[in-house]
Amino acid sequence: MATTYDFPSDLLAGQEELHQVRAELSALLKRLPWSVEPLDGFSDTGGWRKVERPASPGWTPDEQAEVEKLRRREHELAVFVTTHRFWTEFTSADRVKARMSLKHAHGDGSGRSE
């Protein structure tokens, strides 16, 4: 039988925003050049796996600011979710189960674990 948790709305909203911010940051980092600073490309075929990178023009100041803004918000949300007063109601093992349930609640408000 699945355990149902009555997550507070602010905790659900914080977790949902954390998912969104992480997805946005991940998508942004995939679009940006591999190096923050301009660097020449390189190829290393002598190791146990081949590594190649094209030349990187680096990130613009706006791109750096956007990444920093998203990382800062991700940190704020992670702290908010993990230190929420709701978790004081649980023992350590139960807290882990409840936390996993919250991660998979997907903003539906159910808080049900499967």
Side-chain angles (χ1 to χ4, degrees):
M1 181 171 180
T3 304
T4 301
Y5 300 97
D6 188 21
F7 295 118
S9 60
D10 65 332
L11 182 56
L12 284 167
Q15 181 64 53
E16 183 63 28
E17 186 180 350
L18 181 57
H19 284 311
Q20 291 170 357
V21 167
R22 284 181 172 160
E24 189 176 339
L25 179 58
S26 177
L28 176 60
L29 291 172
K30 286 178 184 176
R31 287 192 312 267
L32 292 176
W34 63 271
S35 174
V36 177
E37 299 295 326
L39 286 175
D40 293 334
F42 65 89
S43 178
D44 180 7
T45 58
W48 63 274
R49 105 185 139 134
K50 184 178 177 180
V51 178
E52 290 185 297
R53 295 270 191 245
S56 173
W59 297 358
T60 67
D62 287 344
E63 291 168 336
Q64 290 180 37
E66 182 65 17
V67 168
E68 179 60 29
K69 180 182 110 182
L70 289 170
R71 285 183 173 155
R72 192 176 317 112
R73 185 63 182 150
E74 178 187 30
H75 181 262
E76 290 167 358
L77 289 164
V79 169
F80 171 77
V81 169
T82 58
T83 62
H84 195 279
R85 67 189 173 283
F86 178 76
W87 305 121
T88 61
E89 301 174 16
F90 300 93
T91 63
S92 294
D94 292 336
R95 190 176 306 131
V96 170
K97 290 176 188 172
R99 178 73 180 103
M100 292 306 296
S101 180
L102 175 67
K103 286 181 179 184
H104 299 286
H106 299 295
D108 63 6
S110 69
R112 290 186 195 102
S113 66
E114 312 253 338

